[in-house]
Amino acid sequence: RHTRYPLVTGVQTCALPILEIMANSDNVLRGGLTPKHIDVPELLRHVRVEGIIPSVIDPVPDPQGFCEYPVPVDDFRLRSIRLPAGQSLQFQSDNSCMLLLPEGELEIKSGADLFDMGAGSISYYLKAGAVVQLLAKTPCFLFIASDGQPPSR
């Protein structure tokens, strides 16, 4: 249900109910389903018009219960975690990050901030070094997308 696919240069993504995280780029071309300008000739010069079988990124579990997705770029890091209802978890963010919640209801406490997050919530932003306490109000599946790769271990 939560499958991850790395996309390569020249591959047009399609309109699916997906969460897309992209490396920083100044050369993204629009390809449709938008009222914004689409430069069709320029798009066709760069897009590979062929079917592909995408590779799947299998998550790698770590000792803290997170799953790390080894992405092929150094621009960002993607992790996930499943929390059963009633479970709490505390962690410190290595880099600035966003919490993305496709499933469940979660209470987030960071410093003096207390925030409830529901399924489909876009994000909650954390600064690098923030200590965060999570409490799953219902069973949760949470993505954590952050800047760069993890610090050297």
Side-chain angles (χ1 to χ4, degrees), residues 15-96:
L16 296 173
I18 61 171
L19 164 69
E20 183 177 5
I21 300 173
M22 296 173 47
N24 189 22
S25 176
D26 61 357
N27 61 355
V28 174
L29 293 168
R30 292 184 197 94
L33 300 179
T34 177
K36 298 176 183 175
H37 173 72
I38 299 169
D39 186 341
V40 176
E42 186 67 16
L43 180 66
L44 291 176
R45 274 195 285 280
H46 296 280
V47 171
R48 294 179 1 208
V49 184
E50 61 188 60
I52 65 165
I53 298 173
S55 58
V56 176
I57 300 175
D58 292 319
V60 178
D62 73 14
Q64 299 155 326
F66 292 97
C67 287
E68 180 94 27
Y69 299 89
V71 294
V73 294
D74 291 335
D75 298 60
F76 62 88
R77 179 181 184 197
L78 181 63
R79 295 180 290 163
S80 69
I81 192 163
R82 284 197 180 278
L83 296 172
Q87 182 174 337
S88 63
L89 171 74
Q90 181 173 310
F91 74 96
Q92 183 170 2
S93 58
D94 297 332
N95 302 325
S96 57

Side-chain angles (χ1 to χ4, degrees), residues 69-143:
Y69 299 89
V71 294
V73 294
D74 291 335
D75 298 60
F76 62 88
R77 179 181 184 197
L78 181 63
R79 295 180 290 163
S80 69
I81 192 163
R82 284 197 180 278
L83 296 172
Q87 182 174 337
S88 63
L89 171 74
Q90 181 173 310
F91 74 96
Q92 183 170 2
S93 58
D94 297 332
N95 302 325
S96 57
C97 64
M98 290 187 306
L99 305 181
L100 310 153
L101 188 68
E103 294 176 18
E105 292 180 27
L106 191 63
E107 180 181 278
I108 303 167
K109 186 172 195 280
S110 180
D113 295 334
L114 183 63
F115 181 77
D116 286 326
M117 192 171 178
S121 293
I122 299 301
S123 68
Y124 181 78
Y125 176 78
L126 299 170
K127 293 181 181 178
V131 176
V132 181
Q133 180 77 34
L134 305 175
L135 173 63
K137 294 181 170 185
T138 64
C140 292
F141 184 76
L142 176 70
F143 283 113

